[in-house]
Amino acid sequence: MHHTTAMLIELGSIILALGLLGRLAGRVGFSPIPLYLLAGLAFGHGGILPLQASEDFVATGAEIGVILLLLLLGLEYSASELVTNLKAQYPSGAVDFVLNAVPGAAAALMLGWGTVAAVALAGVTWISSSGVIAKVLGDLGRLGNRETPVILGVLVIEDLAMAVYLPILTALLAGVSLAGGTLTLLISLGTVGAVLYLALRHGRLISKAVSSDNAEMLLLVVLGLTLLVAGIAQELQVSAAVGAFLVGIALSGEVAEGASNLLTPLRDLFAAVFFVFFGLSTNPADIPPVLVPALVLAVVTALTKIATGWYAAHRAGIKTAGRWRAGGTLVARGEFSIVIAGLAVGVEPRIGPLATAYVLILVIVGPLAARWTEPLARRLTRRPAGPTPTAVPEVEHADLAPTRS
C-alpha cells in the first residue's frame, strides 16, 4: 500500500510540474519540449530528486506517448494526400535525407560508436519536429504562405520515411542477421504498402467500421485498436510506432477528425511523460562530455536543413525570400529525434546524452531560425532598399496545406 501512495504522490508531482512548465513555455511562446527534457534530467538518476516508486508507470506511459504521437500524425493525413505528396516531393525528400542523415552517421562513426549507432544518429539528425514546426508556422501567421505547402511536403515525406526507417533500426538494434533484417524490412514495406493500398481503396469501409456517434465508444475503439496493432507490430519487429502511424492513415474523414479531437489531450499528456522519461534515463553528468559534438552537429545540421528548405522551395518556383523562410522553418528537431535515440540507448548509451543536448539546442534554435533566417539572408545579400517580400501577404495555394496540429 505504501508503494501505491508513494507512486501517486510522485506521479501527481510530475504531472503538476509538467502542467506548470507547459504554461511557462506558453507564456514565453516556446515549445515545452526542452522544459520537459530538463524536468526529466532533474527527476532522473543523478538528478536533484530521483524518482523511486513511479518509474515503471512512467516507462509504460512513455511507450503510450510514442504510440499516440504517431497515431495522431497518421490521422492528419489521408492515404491519397500521402501518395500525391510523395510523387511531388520525392527529390526534396532525397536531398533532405542526404544532407541531414549523413552528418549524424558520420559523427557516430568519428566518435567510434559503430554502425548501428551511426544508423540511429542519422535518424536523430535527419527528422525535423513536425509538432514544433506546425506551432511555429501558426505563431508566425505563415500557414497561408506560398512556401508552407513545401515545408509540409518535406515533413510528410519524413513521416513516411519513418515507416521504413524505424523497422530497419529496430531490426539492427535487435541484432538480427542480414537475412533476418532483410525479411523484417520486406515485412514492414509490405505492411506499409498494404495499409496504404487498403486506405486508398477501402478507407471509407475501415472508417465506417470504427465510426461511432458516441464519443466514449469511438475513443475506446480507436485507442484499443491502435494499442493492439502497435503490440502486434512490435512482436513482428516492425516497431510499435509504425503500427500506430498506419492505423492513423487507415482512418479518414469524420472518424479521423473525431478521434483526433478526443485523443489530442491524451497525446499531450503521454507525450509530455515520454519526454520526461527520456530525461529520466539520461544522467545529467553524461551531458558535458558530449556537449561539443552536440553543438557542432547542431550547427552543421541547422545549415543543412536550411539548404534543404531552400532547395525544396526553389523546386516549387518560390521566390528567394520564401526559400529562406522554408529553410529556417525546418531547423527544429524534437519528438522523433528523441523517439529514435530512446530506441538506440540500449545499444549505445552515449546516444541518449548526445541526443538530449542536440534536441535541447535545436528545439530552442528552431523557432528563432524560422523567424530570423530570411531577414538575416536579406541583410547579408544587401538587396537595394524596396518593399520587403514579407510585406506582401502570400496567400496563394493556402488550400494545399494539409492540416497538421
Side-chain angles (χ1 to χ4, degrees):
M1 194 65 201
H2 172 69
H3 177 78
T4 314
T5 313
M7 185 178 84
L8 288 174
I9 291 170
E10 280 189 8
L11 267 181
S13 309
I14 293 170
I15 293 169
L16 179 62
L18 291 180
L20 296 172
L21 288 172
R23 284 178 75 170
L24 176 67
R27 286 264 167 85
V28 187
F30 249 66
S31 161
I33 293 175
L35 296 179
Y36 294 158
L37 284 171
L38 290 170
L41 288 172
F43 286 129
H45 303 294
I48 312 158
L49 285 168
L51 293 181
Q52 307 291 308
S54 58
E55 207 162 347
D56 291 346
F57 187 92
V58 171
T60 309
E63 278 188 44
I64 295 172
V66 174
I67 288 166
L68 289 176
L69 271 170
L70 275 113
L71 168 68
L72 272 108
L73 196 59
L75 286 172
E76 285 164 20
Y77 304 125
S78 67
S80 54
E81 221 167 47
L82 279 176
V83 173
T84 313
N85 247 313
L86 195 59
K87 283 179 184 163
Q89 299 273 9
Y90 72 90
S92 305
V95 167
D96 179 31
F97 170 72
V98 172
L99 287 183
N100 298 292
V102 171
L109 293 173
M110 284 187 273
L111 291 164
W113 290 358
T115 322
V116 178
V119 174
L121 201 56
V124 171
T125 57
W126 170 24
I127 308 284
S128 293
S129 165
S130 8
V132 174
I133 289 169
K135 187 177 184 315
V136 165
L137 285 170
D139 291 348
L140 295 177
R142 290 187 187 167
L143 288 169
N145 279 23
R146 274 202 65 193
E147 74 272 7
T148 299
V150 173
I151 295 166
L152 295 174
V154 172
L155 293 175
V156 171
I157 290 216
E158 287 185 355
D159 297 339
L160 253 184
M162 287 288 279
V164 178
Y165 167 82
L166 280 175
I168 297 174
L169 181 63
T170 313
L172 284 172
L173 292 169
V176 179
S177 65
L178 185 63
T182 312
L183 183 66
T184 305
L185 179 59
L186 289 173
I187 290 172
S188 67
L189 282 175
T191 312
V192 174
V195 169
L196 279 176
Y197 175 78
L198 283 172
L200 276 169
R201 295 269 164 198
H202 309 292
R204 285 219 180 94
L205 289 174
I206 299 168
S207 298
K208 206 172 180 182
V210 173
S211 180
S212 170
D213 292 336
N214 182 325
E216 185 187 341
M217 296 306 126
L218 182 64
L219 176 68
L220 291 173
V221 170
V222 173
L223 188 57
L225 179 68
T226 305
L227 293 173
L228 179 67
V229 171
I232 293 168
Q234 193 145 334
E235 195 63 35
L236 294 171
Q237 291 194 340
V238 172
S239 147
V242 171
F245 182 58
L246 294 175
V247 171
I249 290 170
L251 301 176
S252 59
E254 283 177 24
V255 175
E257 206 173 306
S260 187
N261 293 339
L262 289 168
L263 287 162
T264 299
L266 262 184
R267 188 258 331 250
D268 293 344
L269 166 66
F270 283 108
V273 170
F274 163 66
F275 291 119
V276 167
F277 176 71
F278 189 80
L280 286 178
S281 50
T282 306
N283 188 334
D286 295 338
I287 289 183
V290 291
L291 208 50
V292 173
L295 199 58
V296 172
L297 254 188
V299 171
V300 170
T301 54
L303 295 172
T304 52
K305 270 292 176 191
I306 291 172
T308 301
W310 203 94
Y311 170 80
H314 175 66
R315 268 193 76 242
I318 284 158
K319 295 197 177 78
T320 312
R323 292 176 203 170
W324 286 117
R325 282 198 298 274
T329 307
L330 284 170
V331 167
R333 311 295 203 283
E335 61 278 18
F336 276 141
S337 303
I338 299 291
V339 169
I340 294 162
L343 289 172
V345 163
V347 169
E348 176 47 77
R350 288 169 293 188
I351 277 190
L354 180 68
T356 304
Y358 176 79
V359 168
L360 280 173
I361 296 165
L362 283 185
V363 84
I364 291 167
V365 169
L368 299 174
R371 191 164 290 172
W372 297 109
T373 302
E374 185 249 333
L376 200 65
R378 201 169 60 239
R379 188 164 293 175
L380 291 173
T381 48
R382 289 279 157 168
R383 287 284 167 85
T388 58
T390 32
V392 184
E394 302 188 37
V395 283
E396 297 175 62
H397 303 314
D399 55 329
L400 290 181
T403 52
R404 283 176 81 104
S405 60

